[in-house]
């Protein structure tokens, strides 16, 4: 019930349209009543000799010429009535569709914006397909539930009307006809309670099918590379077949329910017929009366059946609503505190104070982490894979919140700053630059949506991207595929660096920006990054220790703990893990030998995956 009430809120902005549509429904049925009249007039008054009814009576005693005029008038009149009837129907369907679709859109928009606000930890645990299913397919339910209200109300009104007339004719038979109501009521209740769980399961399966499609399309490169098209196809097919079977079984149940409702009303009719016949036998009821009562009882049962089956089929919508509201009710773990501050451009002083963090279902991802970055400093973070480097850095823009401890930006706890304002202070360049399927210019402009074309070009020049962009046949207007597949990894990375230039935030996070790029392209990007880092507090995660040699402070993480810190020279002198990692890498560069010790994954130095061989979409 609660869900229905909430769904009704979406009707509120459109109540005028909804009312107009209800009025038109009444008009349409009234104009429907007019439809048989022209024929009656032709038969009785034009062809026959009956006097015209009511207002038309003064045309009585018509000559043949008059009758011809009347005939024309009636024919034109009937045309007008038909036009009126259908005109109203068109208008009504226009109104209904527009407010129904707008309601669906509003509900869907709420779901979409909510899904975007949900925290990373939510998205870590849910599959994209399920979310798409909820947003795109379950949103219809809000309108569905409300649209069912009109036929329900109509049925209820005609039920009352029919019952009243029947009661006037024969109260006993009328009351007897209602004896089926409790049975109908219980069968609806029984059905609803049973069917909801099944509906939930079937919808879950349908969402799962969508997840498989979504995953397969976004993993297409891997699938094609391993030649696993058939495997993915059968995975999809098997899952979808299970969903189809479940859906069929569900539909059978729904039909059986409709059958049960019909059976109950048929038994009711039989009861009325039996009792009425018996009364007629006893001479207490004329046969004519019995016929009339039976006709009316049938008329009572029609809306009763309609109500029961509508309530039954509404279960589908109710379950959809539950899924959709379930998503809406998931609170984002990370939100603005009441009275969160909006800050201007930060200076960029960052302090981590005794930070601990754990992913759901994991233990101690980070422990006792404290360090400080002065404005403009470069803090490098290194350590073996899985040590917690990315996690540490994702606490700063509050992708996750620390379990204990606090992070200060210019002396203010980041949890007291409005999320939008906090994230405005930070640019992030990731290892795998994600680009939108839009033009290169639009992708760069994502850093600041109101940037002019000159600013976009300036940013591209700073990122060493301008030259390769202008060499493309369409230059800045080159459309990129969903993941920017027509250009190489190095080029993609330079576009994402240009984006960061345009955003011009005081804090910069570089999460291994060059680790998947060959060394020749790396120097071009490092050059651009040097320029980008100037005047910004930078946190840089790097595997290749040579790239962080000049950092003001290097933090070495191991199993979620900060085990060493200092400058490059200090750490080398100390002879700890950093020294070990460094020696391993320099030796490797000399010998071109790659032992994957401690998880320092480094792509082959002679790799040619960069600019020379643009990757192509399969
Ligand atoms: P690094 O960046 O040093 O390679 P990460 O910060 O990515 O390490 O990971 C640290 C640890 O946290 C690893 O054990 C990893 O498996 C785990 N981890 C990373 N991301 C998640 C996540 N979204 N959910 C649960 N555990 C995670």
């Amino acid at each position: 019930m609660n869900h229905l009430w909430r769904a009704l809120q979406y009707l509120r902005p459109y109540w005028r349209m909804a009312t107009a549509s209800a009025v038109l429904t009444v008009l349409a049925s009234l104009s429907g009543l007019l439809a048989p009249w022209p024929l009656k007039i032709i038969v009785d008054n034009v062809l026959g000799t009956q006097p015209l009814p009511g207002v038309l009576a003064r045309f009585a005693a018509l000559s043949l010429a008059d009758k011809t005029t009347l005939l024309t008038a009636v024919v034109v009149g009937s045309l007008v009535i038909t036009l009126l009837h259908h005109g109203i129907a068109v208008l009504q369907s226009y109104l209904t569709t527009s407010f129904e679709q707008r309601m669906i859109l509003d509900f869907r928009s709420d779901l979409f914006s909510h899904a975007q606000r949900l925290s990373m930890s939510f998205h870590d645990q849910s599959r994209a397909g399920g979310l798409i299913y909820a947003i795109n397919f379950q949103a219809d339910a809000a309108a569905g539930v409300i649209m069912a209200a009109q036929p329900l109300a109509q049925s209820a009104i005609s039920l009352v009307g029919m019952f009243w007339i029947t009661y006037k004719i024969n109260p006993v038979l009328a009351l007897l006809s209602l004896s089926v109501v409790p049975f109908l009521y219980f069968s609806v209740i029984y059905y609803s309670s049973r069917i909801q769980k099944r509906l939930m399961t079937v919808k879950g399966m349908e969402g799962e099918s969508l997840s498989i499609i979504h995953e397969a399309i976004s993993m297409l490169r891997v699938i094609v590379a391993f030649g696993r098209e058939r495997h993915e196809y059968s995975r999809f097919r098997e899952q979808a077949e299970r969903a189809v079977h479940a859906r069929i079984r569900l539909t059978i149940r729904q039909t059986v329910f409709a059958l049960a409702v019909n059976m109950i009303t048929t038994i009711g009719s039989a009861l009325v017929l039996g009792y009425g016949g018996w009364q007629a036998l006893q001479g207490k009821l004329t046969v004519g009366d019995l016929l009339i009562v039976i006709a009316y009882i049938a008329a009572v049962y029609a809306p009763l059946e309609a109500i029961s089956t509508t309530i039954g089929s509404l279960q589908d919508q109710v379950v959809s609503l539950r899924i959709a509201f379930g998503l809406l009710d998931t609170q984002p773990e990370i939100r603005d505190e009441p009275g969160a501050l909006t800050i201007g451009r930060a200076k960029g002083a960052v302090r981590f104070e005794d930070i601990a963090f754990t992913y759901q279902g994991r233990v101690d991802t980070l422990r006792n982490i404290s360090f400080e970055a002065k404005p403009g400093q470069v803090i490098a973070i290194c350590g073996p894979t899985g040590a917690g480097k990315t996690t540490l850095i994702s606490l700063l823009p509050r992708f996750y919140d620390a379990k204990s401890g606090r992070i200060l930006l210019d002396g203010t706890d980041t949890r007291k700053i409005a999320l939008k304002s906090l994230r405005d202070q930070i640019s992030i360049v990731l290892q795998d630059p994600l680009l939108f399927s839009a033009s290169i210019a639009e992708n760069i402009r994502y850093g600041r949506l109101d940037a002019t074309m000159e600013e976009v070009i300036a940013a591209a020049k700073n990122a060493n991207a301008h030259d390769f962009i202008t060499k493309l046949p369409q230059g800045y207007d080159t459309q990129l595929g969903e993941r920017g597949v027509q250009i190489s990894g190095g080029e993609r990375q330079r576009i994402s660096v240009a984006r960061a230039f345009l955003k011009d935030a005081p804090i910069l996070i570089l999460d291994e920006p060059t680790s998947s790029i060959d060394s020749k392209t790396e120097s071009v990007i490092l050059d651009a990054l040097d320029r980008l880092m100037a005047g910004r507090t930078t946190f840089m995660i790097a595997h290749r220790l040579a790239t962080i040699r000049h950092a003001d402070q290097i933090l070495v993480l191991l199993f979620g703990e900060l085990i060493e810190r200092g400058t490059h020279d200090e750490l080398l002198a100390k002879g700890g893990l950093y020294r070990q990692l460094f020696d391993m890498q320099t030796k490797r560069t000399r010998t071109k030998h790659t032992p994957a010790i401690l998880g320092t994954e480094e792509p082959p130095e002679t790799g040619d995956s960069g600019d020379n061989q643009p990757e192509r979409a399969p």
Side-chain angles (χ1 to χ4, degrees):
M1 235 29 216
N2 185 23
H3 289 336
L4 297 184
W5 180 244
R6 284 177 71 182
L8 211 56
Q9 304 304 314
Y10 283 89
L11 184 61
R12 199 181 272 172
Y14 308 111
W15 70 270
R16 280 196 191 86
M17 272 202 226
T19 318
S21 147
V23 170
L24 285 179
T25 312
V26 174
L27 286 183
S29 38
L30 287 183
S31 66
L33 291 181
L34 284 180
W37 279 91
L39 190 65
K40 180 201 149 39
I41 294 177
I42 290 178
V43 172
D44 286 353
N45 315 109
V46 178
L47 303 177
T49 53
Q50 301 267 334
L52 282 164
V55 280
L56 303 173
R58 37 196 188 95
F59 296 107
L62 299 166
S63 65
L64 185 63
D66 288 340
K67 283 198 169 189
T68 320
T69 321
L70 182 61
L71 179 61
T72 320
V74 169
V75 169
V76 170
S78 91
L79 267 178
V80 170
I81 287 172
T82 313
L83 272 180
L84 188 72
H85 180 65
H86 289 287
I88 292 175
V90 167
L91 197 61
Q92 194 243 357
S93 107
Y94 163 72
L95 273 179
T96 315
T97 316
S98 34
F99 82 79
E100 183 186 10
Q101 290 302 317
R102 288 199 174 111
M103 261 163 57
I104 294 177
L105 180 61
D106 288 352
F107 192 40
R108 197 173 280 157
S109 309
D110 281 0
L111 288 170
F112 178 72
S113 85
H114 191 76
Q116 287 203 96
R117 277 193 297 130
L118 286 173
S119 321
M120 294 294 166
S121 50
F122 172 83
H123 292 289
D124 283 347
Q125 316 209 338
S126 62
R127 298 180 69 174
L131 267 182
I132 295 173
Y133 184 69
I135 294 170
N136 210 34
F137 298 103
Q138 307 307 303
D140 297 12
V145 163
I146 290 162
M147 299 325 261
Q150 194 175 324
L152 263 185
Q154 222 168 343
S155 299
I157 291 168
S158 55
L159 176 66
V160 171
M162 294 297 179
F163 178 75
W164 187 69
I165 296 172
T166 320
Y167 188 82
K168 288 275 162 206
I169 299 171
N170 190 315
V172 181
L173 282 178
L175 287 173
L176 190 64
S177 75
L178 284 194
S179 65
V180 298
V181 170
F183 294 99
L184 282 178
Y185 176 77
F186 283 113
S187 65
V188 168
I189 297 287
Y190 177 80
Y191 169 79
S192 308
S193 63
R194 285 301 187 90
I195 207 77
Q196 286 208 351
K197 226 172 80 210
R198 287 176 187 277
L199 274 167
M200 231 28 197
T201 320
V202 171
K203 281 171 190 276
M205 290 168 114
E206 287 166 353
E208 181 69 21
S209 301
L210 213 60
S211 286
I212 294 181
I213 299 177
H214 181 267
E215 218 165 83
I217 302 293
S218 50
M219 300 281 286
L220 205 57
R221 283 166 161 276
V222 182
I223 296 172
V224 174
F226 282 86
R228 290 279 179 266
E229 293 90 337
R230 278 220 68 79
H231 170 74
E232 285 301 318
Y233 173 78
S234 24
R235 211 161 71 91
F236 163 74
R237 180 84 202 182
E238 278 161 24
Q239 153 65 26
E241 269 176 13
R242 274 201 302 279
V244 165
H245 283 143
R247 181 50 90 177
I248 292 173
R249 282 200 299 276
L250 189 71
T251 309
I252 292 175
R253 283 196 161 72
Q254 288 168 327
T255 330
V256 168
F257 168 70
L259 176 73
V261 168
N262 281 324
M263 284 298 292
I264 292 172
T265 51
T266 312
I267 292 172
S269 307
L271 272 181
V272 171
L273 186 62
Y275 180 76
W278 185 65
Q279 292 247 304
L281 271 182
Q282 308 232 316
K284 289 182 185 154
L285 199 68
T286 69
V287 177
D289 278 347
L290 181 62
L291 280 180
I292 289 175
V293 171
I294 286 183
Y296 271 105
I297 297 286
V300 171
Y301 282 164
L304 258 186
E305 278 172 16
I307 290 173
S308 310
T309 42
T310 311
I311 291 180
S313 59
L314 264 183
Q315 299 307 316
D316 212 315
Q317 320 272 16
V318 171
V319 168
S320 292
L321 271 189
R322 201 192 288 168
I323 294 176
F325 281 128
L327 176 62
L328 270 189
D329 291 342
T330 311
Q331 289 292 335
E333 256 170 59
I334 296 182
R335 332 171 239 186
D336 284 345
E337 277 188 4
L341 303 167
T342 299
I343 55 171
R345 189 182 172 86
K347 290 197 197 68
V350 175
R351 229 178 115 91
F352 277 59
E353 282 184 357
D354 203 15
I355 290 291
F357 175 79
T358 307
Y359 285 110
Q360 229 169 343
R362 300 289 184 101
V363 278
D364 291 350
T365 311
L366 293 173
R367 265 166 315 189
N368 302 326
I369 308 251
S370 302
F371 63 89
E372 191 174 352
K374 297 204 170 66
Q377 276 194 335
V378 176
I379 308 290
I381 303 161
C382 62
T385 301
K389 304 180 292 291
T390 304
T391 309
L392 178 67
I393 234 51
S394 55
L395 297 181
L396 182 56
R398 291 188 68 200
F399 291 161
Y400 303 90
D401 267 346
K403 193 170 73 183
S404 63
R406 49 183 203 154
I407 301 172
L408 305 177
L409 171 61
D410 292 348
T412 312
D413 190 331
T414 49
R415 275 173 295 203
K416 298 217 158 48
I417 302 173
L419 275 176
K420 164 99 178 66
S421 182
L422 174 66
R423 291 174 184 169
D424 277 348
Q425 313 292 332
I426 304 170
S427 288
I428 305 180
V429 180
L430 296 171
Q431 177 177 354
D432 183 19
L434 296 175
L435 301 181
F436 289 94
S437 44
S439 72
I440 289 183
E442 282 169 285
N443 265 291
I444 297 176
R445 197 174 278 123
Y446 208 71
R448 206 178 74 234
L449 297 176
D450 59 2
T452 62
M453 196 57 211
E454 286 71 40
E455 289 170 318
V456 168
I457 293 174
K461 281 184 176 156
N462 272 326
N464 290 340
H466 181 71
D467 287 346
F468 93 78
I469 296 173
T470 43
K471 275 194 204 117
L472 293 167
Q474 261 126 26
Y476 281 87
D477 293 329
T478 307
Q479 290 290 325
L480 302 179
E482 193 155 357
R483 301 206 161 184
V485 279
Q486 306 99 318
I487 58 173
S488 77
E491 291 165 344
R492 290 205 315 247
Q493 192 56 287
R494 277 178 273 169
I495 291 177
S496 86
V497 172
R499 204 188 259 172
F501 264 112
L502 206 54
K503 180 164 179 182
D504 189 26
I507 297 174
L508 183 63
I509 293 178
L510 307 175
D511 192 348
E512 304 188 48
T514 59
S515 71
S516 49
I517 287 156
D518 65 293
S519 44
K520 207 172 85 209
T521 318
E522 184 179 23
S523 64
V524 182
I525 293 176
L526 284 176
D527 174 63
L529 286 177
D530 273 344
R531 221 172 294 138
L532 179 62
M533 282 152 65
R536 300 175 215 272
T537 312
T538 305
F539 299 87
M540 182 174 190
I541 300 179
H543 271 309
R544 255 173 274 187
L545 302 184
T547 57
I548 55 172
R549 208 180 269 258
H550 304 296
D552 295 293
Q553 193 179 179
I554 298 172
L555 310 174
V556 184
L557 276 185
L558 184 66
F559 300 127
E561 274 183 296
L562 231 174
I563 56 158
E564 285 171 26
R565 71 174 81 193
T567 61
H568 179 73
D569 294 336
E570 284 165 3
L571 288 175
L572 280 189
K574 199 169 168 199
L577 178 62
Y578 184 81
R579 168 103 222 181
Q580 238 176 305
L581 293 169
F582 185 77
D583 285 348
M584 227 152 52
Q585 289 187 3
T586 40
K587 196 169 96 210
R588 188 181 336 161
T589 318
R590 278 198 307 274
T591 59
K592 296 266 190 276
H593 173 61
T594 32
I597 307 170
L598 281 164
T600 45
E601 313 149 330
E602 192 172 348
E605 295 282 334
T606 49
D608 219 357
S609 63
D611 288 8
N612 305 343
Q613 271 188 345
E615 298 162 39
R616 301 235 171 263

mmCIF file of all heavy atoms in Angstrom, residues 124 359 362 365 384-391 400, ligand 1:
data_model
loop_
_atom_site.group_PDB
_atom_site.id
_atom_site.type_symbol
_atom_site.label_atom_id
_atom_site.label_comp_id
_atom_site.label_asym_id
_atom_site.label_seq_id
_atom_site.Cartn_x
_atom_site.Cartn_y
_atom_site.Cartn_z
ATOM 1 N N ASP A 124 30.412 -1.678 -6.145
ATOM 2 C CA ASP A 124 31.334 -2.810 -6.058
ATOM 3 C C ASP A 124 30.557 -4.118 -5.954
ATOM 4 O O ASP A 124 31.000 -5.158 -6.392
ATOM 5 C CB ASP A 124 32.205 -2.701 -4.789
ATOM 6 C CG ASP A 124 33.310 -1.675 -4.971
ATOM 7 O OD1 ASP A 124 33.528 -1.260 -6.124
ATOM 8 O OD2 ASP A 124 33.951 -1.299 -3.977
ATOM 9 N N TYR A 359 37.536 -2.923 3.306
ATOM 10 C CA TYR A 359 36.438 -3.190 2.365
ATOM 11 C C TYR A 359 35.484 -4.159 3.020
ATOM 12 O O TYR A 359 35.883 -4.968 3.856
ATOM 13 C CB TYR A 359 36.962 -3.822 1.074
ATOM 14 C CG TYR A 359 37.650 -2.844 0.159
ATOM 15 C CD1 TYR A 359 39.024 -2.905 -0.022
ATOM 16 C CD2 TYR A 359 36.929 -1.884 -0.528
ATOM 17 C CE1 TYR A 359 39.666 -2.024 -0.874
ATOM 18 C CE2 TYR A 359 37.560 -0.999 -1.379
ATOM 19 C CZ TYR A 359 38.923 -1.064 -1.546
ATOM 20 O OH TYR A 359 39.547 -0.195 -2.376
ATOM 21 N N ARG A 362 36.348 -7.819 3.942
ATOM 22 C CA ARG A 362 37.802 -8.000 3.993
ATOM 23 C C ARG A 362 38.292 -7.613 5.382
ATOM 24 O O ARG A 362 37.545 -7.048 6.179
ATOM 25 C CB ARG A 362 38.498 -7.113 2.960
ATOM 26 C CG ARG A 362 38.089 -7.368 1.531
ATOM 27 C CD ARG A 362 38.650 -8.690 1.080
ATOM 28 N NE ARG A 362 38.355 -8.934 -0.322
ATOM 29 C CZ ARG A 362 39.237 -8.758 -1.297
ATOM 30 N NH1 ARG A 362 40.455 -8.339 -1.035
ATOM 31 N NH2 ARG A 362 38.903 -9.015 -2.541
ATOM 32 N N THR A 365 42.324 -3.516 5.244
ATOM 33 C CA THR A 365 42.965 -3.141 3.979
ATOM 34 C C THR A 365 44.037 -2.073 4.231
ATOM 35 O O THR A 365 45.099 -2.096 3.616
ATOM 36 C CB THR A 365 41.911 -2.628 2.989
ATOM 37 O OG1 THR A 365 40.832 -3.571 2.959
ATOM 38 C CG2 THR A 365 42.480 -2.483 1.603
ATOM 39 N N PRO A 384 54.170 -3.238 -3.391
ATOM 40 C CA PRO A 384 53.710 -4.314 -4.263
ATOM 41 C C PRO A 384 52.209 -4.245 -4.553
ATOM 42 O O PRO A 384 51.471 -3.583 -3.828
ATOM 43 C CB PRO A 384 54.042 -5.577 -3.483
ATOM 44 C CG PRO A 384 54.402 -5.148 -2.123
ATOM 45 C CD PRO A 384 54.722 -3.711 -2.130
ATOM 46 N N THR A 385 51.790 -4.916 -5.595
ATOM 47 C CA THR A 385 50.373 -4.978 -5.948
ATOM 48 C C THR A 385 49.550 -5.490 -4.770
ATOM 49 O O THR A 385 49.963 -6.418 -4.089
ATOM 50 C CB THR A 385 50.191 -5.953 -7.121
ATOM 51 O OG1 THR A 385 50.982 -5.470 -8.180
ATOM 52 C CG2 THR A 385 48.752 -6.027 -7.569
ATOM 53 N N GLY A 386 48.408 -4.844 -4.555
ATOM 54 C CA GLY A 386 47.528 -5.280 -3.484
ATOM 55 C C GLY A 386 47.899 -4.705 -2.135
ATOM 56 O O GLY A 386 47.272 -5.021 -1.124
ATOM 57 N N ALA A 387 48.912 -3.829 -2.101
ATOM 58 C CA ALA A 387 49.341 -3.268 -0.820
ATOM 59 C C ALA A 387 48.327 -2.257 -0.289
ATOM 60 O O ALA A 387 48.269 -1.998 0.910
ATOM 61 C CB ALA A 387 50.705 -2.606 -0.980
ATOM 62 N N GLY A 388 47.522 -1.699 -1.186
ATOM 63 C CA GLY A 388 46.501 -0.745 -0.734
ATOM 64 C C GLY A 388 46.719 0.668 -1.249
ATOM 65 O O GLY A 388 46.111 1.615 -0.748
ATOM 66 N N LYS A 389 47.540 0.813 -2.280
ATOM 67 C CA LYS A 389 47.870 2.155 -2.788
ATOM 68 C C LYS A 389 46.626 2.851 -3.360
ATOM 69 O O LYS A 389 46.317 3.984 -2.998
ATOM 70 C CB LYS A 389 48.954 2.059 -3.878
ATOM 71 C CG LYS A 389 50.212 1.347 -3.411
ATOM 72 C CD LYS A 389 51.257 1.260 -4.491
ATOM 73 C CE LYS A 389 50.873 0.358 -5.659
ATOM 74 N NZ LYS A 389 50.818 -1.087 -5.328
ATOM 75 N N THR A 390 45.930 2.160 -4.260
ATOM 76 C CA THR A 390 44.745 2.755 -4.883
ATOM 77 C C THR A 390 43.680 3.045 -3.826
ATOM 78 O O THR A 390 43.024 4.083 -3.858
ATOM 79 C CB THR A 390 44.180 1.793 -5.942
ATOM 80 O OG1 THR A 390 45.224 1.508 -6.864
ATOM 81 C CG2 THR A 390 43.015 2.400 -6.678
ATOM 82 N N THR A 391 43.542 2.110 -2.901
ATOM 83 C CA THR A 391 42.554 2.300 -1.850
ATOM 84 C C THR A 391 42.874 3.556 -1.055
ATOM 85 O O THR A 391 41.995 4.388 -0.794
ATOM 86 C CB THR A 391 42.561 1.082 -0.913
ATOM 87 O OG1 THR A 391 42.461 -0.095 -1.704
ATOM 88 C CG2 THR A 391 41.427 1.139 0.071
ATOM 89 N N TYR A 400 35.396 6.214 -0.873
ATOM 90 C CA TYR A 400 35.055 5.441 0.317
ATOM 91 C C TYR A 400 35.393 6.315 1.523
ATOM 92 O O TYR A 400 36.205 7.235 1.412
ATOM 93 C CB TYR A 400 35.891 4.160 0.398
ATOM 94 C CG TYR A 400 35.759 3.262 -0.800
ATOM 95 C CD1 TYR A 400 36.614 3.396 -1.883
ATOM 96 C CD2 TYR A 400 34.775 2.283 -0.843
ATOM 97 C CE1 TYR A 400 36.492 2.581 -2.992
ATOM 98 C CE2 TYR A 400 34.649 1.452 -1.945
ATOM 99 C CZ TYR A 400 35.506 1.609 -3.018
ATOM 100 O OH TYR A 400 35.382 0.796 -4.101
HETATM 101 P P1 LIG B 1 47.149 -1.598 -4.909
HETATM 102 O O1 LIG B 1 46.601 -0.349 -5.498
HETATM 103 O O2 LIG B 1 48.271 -1.373 -3.973
HETATM 104 O O3 LIG B 1 47.487 -2.636 -5.912
HETATM 105 P P2 LIG B 1 44.498 -1.888 -3.879
HETATM 106 O O4 LIG B 1 44.306 -0.667 -3.070
HETATM 107 O O5 LIG B 1 43.880 -1.931 -5.210
HETATM 108 O O6 LIG B 1 46.036 -2.235 -3.980
HETATM 109 O O7 LIG B 1 43.944 -3.137 -3.066
HETATM 110 C C1 LIG B 1 44.236 -3.362 -1.713
HETATM 111 C C2 LIG B 1 43.479 -4.606 -1.238
HETATM 112 O O8 LIG B 1 42.085 -4.352 -1.227
HETATM 113 C C3 LIG B 1 43.691 -5.818 -2.118
HETATM 114 O O9 LIG B 1 43.760 -6.933 -1.276
HETATM 115 C C4 LIG B 1 42.440 -5.879 -2.962
HETATM 116 O O10 LIG B 1 42.124 -7.197 -3.285
HETATM 117 C C5 LIG B 1 41.405 -5.269 -2.054
HETATM 118 N N1 LIG B 1 40.394 -4.537 -2.822
HETATM 119 C C6 LIG B 1 40.625 -3.580 -3.761
HETATM 120 N N2 LIG B 1 39.469 -3.060 -4.224
HETATM 121 C C7 LIG B 1 38.468 -3.694 -3.559
HETATM 122 C C8 LIG B 1 37.041 -3.616 -3.583
HETATM 123 N N3 LIG B 1 36.396 -2.750 -4.381
HETATM 124 N N4 LIG B 1 36.346 -4.426 -2.762
HETATM 125 C C9 LIG B 1 36.986 -5.288 -1.942
HETATM 126 N N5 LIG B 1 38.315 -5.413 -1.868
HETATM 127 C C10 LIG B 1 39.069 -4.643 -2.657
#
